[in-house]
Amino acid sequence: MAQKRVLLLSEGFGAGHTQAAHALASSLRQCAPDVQTKVLELGSFLNPKMAPLIISAYRKTLISKPRVIGYMYRHQKSFNRFTSLALHRIFYTSTQDVVQQLNPDLIVCTHFIPNAVIARLKRLGARVPLCTVITDYDAHDTWISPEVDRYFVSTPEVKRKLRSRGVSRAKIQVTGIPVHPDFWKRHSKDEIRREFGLSDLPAILVMGGGWGMMKDQVVHEYLARWKDQVQIIFCFGSNEEARREMEAQDRYCHPHIHILGFTKEVDRLMEVSDLLITKPGGMTCTEGLAKGIPMLFHHPLPGQEEENFQYFTAQGLGEPIDSLEVLGRWMHRLVEHYDDVVRERQKNLANTEKYFPKQSALSILEMLQEQPVQH
């Protein structure tokens, strides 16, 4: 019998969407090794010359004019129909050929742009089930289409938002945001410390999202003052320029300060750290949730990050850095009351199973069982 095939489509507008696709592919392979998976960033695959230019322009706008992105987020309903039609005709004209060639039994979209394109293909006659994985703690209108067969959402609150927009209850399943299976594993902290050259001190992990957007010099300089009592791991992602700038400053040249660029070892760095300071991206927050690590948030971008920020702070799963007093209180806890921090984290870890670590993959397998093999 032919193997079932799952095509997972994302886009390169931030790393979280594609990470979710790869996380799902990994979980599917663990749960059902006979299922074939293929992950594509659709725009980059179809047009490798144009896509990086568009993504670069978006990134520059995000950094320099975040209010523009926030406006677009709040008014996406008015852009939705035009955007999907324009992308289908201009940027994704070959999508149908890709789908026919790969012949998947199920398409999973972790970004709303390929989701809109596949939905339009289905309106034009394509016969393939479409599953939409919403990778934030909010749901805007561009995710929604009558052609979507199943929505996987992070929380009951997001389910209620979809219901209020007219989505059938039968189409929505609360699965949590899929993160790579490695984040649900527990590793030896001593082994990780040896691997990264860390000492046996309380550790703080500072992340700036998939694009390494860390610009808060006030926070960085304040953390550096504690370098004799705690160790700080700065992870800049793909922002090599910012990483080099920090490395060139004397205040950050210290054995307890570690400056990293892009790394695939975030799960291990979270494991060994005692506090995560980050922008509230949906994927990073969910990875922190899986690790039970306390989180501090700074400078959420308008749109999805603001919604993620509001959810996690309302649930008591994170705290805003609205003053240096917040950082001072946490530094004092790490230095003077470290055992209390460890005990609280253990309580968090005891609750991680309720966040459905494999539910998305299991639900996809259920959808596959409902479909006849197409090839």
Side-chain angles (χ1 to χ4, degrees), residues 134 136-140 152-165 172 174 311:
I134 298 179
D136 284 293
Y137 291 80
D138 186 35
H140 52 72
F152 293 168
V153 301
S154 54
T155 66
E157 289 82 356
V158 177
K159 180 177 181 177
R160 284 192 286 272
K161 289 182 179 181
L162 289 182
R163 292 283 296 121
S164 71
R165 289 167 168 83
I172 311 168
V174 179
Y311 172 78

Side-chain angles (χ1 to χ4, degrees), residues 88 95-96 99 105-109 114-132 145-150 171 367 371:
H88 178 77
T95 303
Q96 186 172 9
V99 172
D105 297 284
L106 175 68
I107 295 178
V108 179
C109 290
N115 186 71
V117 174
I118 298 300
R120 182 167 176 79
L121 285 180
K122 291 191 67 173
R123 285 198 295 275
L124 296 176
R127 298 174 61 86
V128 59
L130 173 58
C131 175
T132 297
S145 171
E147 288 73 31
V148 175
D149 296 282
R150 198 74 51 84
K171 285 189 172 186
M367 291 184 69
Q371 303 298 324

Side-chain angles (χ1 to χ4, degrees), residues 17 26 31 61 63 108 140 153 199 231 244 268 294 306 318 323:
H17 301 284
S26 296
C31 295
T61 303
I63 295 172
V108 179
H140 52 72
V153 301
S199 59
Q231 54 194 336
R244 289 192 295 268
R268 297 168 68 81
E306 284 182 336
S323 70

Side-chain angles (χ1 to χ4, degrees), residues 3 15 29 34 64 69 85 88 98 101 108 130 147 156 162 185 195 201 241 250 254 256 284 322 343 349:
Q3 291 180 316
R29 289 193 296 269
D34 58 329
S64 62
I69 302 298
L85 178 61
H88 178 77
V98 171
Q101 181 178 355
V108 179
L130 173 58
E147 288 73 31
L162 289 182
K185 297 177 182 177
E195 179 181 345
L201 283 175
E241 180 180 354
D250 290 341
H254 191 277
H256 295 159
T284 301
D322 49 22
R343 279 193 293 269
L349 288 172

Side-chain angles (χ1 to χ4, degrees), residues 198-215:
L198 303 173
S199 59
D200 189 12
L201 283 175
I204 302 165
L205 177 61
V206 185
M207 298 182 64
W211 282 342
M213 293 172 58
M214 295 195 303
K215 286 189 170 184

Side-chain angles (χ1 to χ4, degrees), residues 3-6 25 28-29 31-37 364-365 368:
Q3 291 180 316
K4 291 292 183 74
R5 299 173 179 173
V6 178
L28 283 169
R29 289 193 296 269
C31 295
D34 58 329
V35 172
Q36 295 180 351
T37 61
I364 287 175
L365 293 177
L368 285 174

Side-chain angles (χ1 to χ4, degrees), residues 207-225:
M207 298 182 64
W211 282 342
M213 293 172 58
M214 295 195 303
K215 286 189 170 184
D216 200 330
Q217 295 301 323
V218 174
V219 169
H220 298 170
E221 291 175 9
Y222 183 85
L223 291 173
R225 298 178 197 172

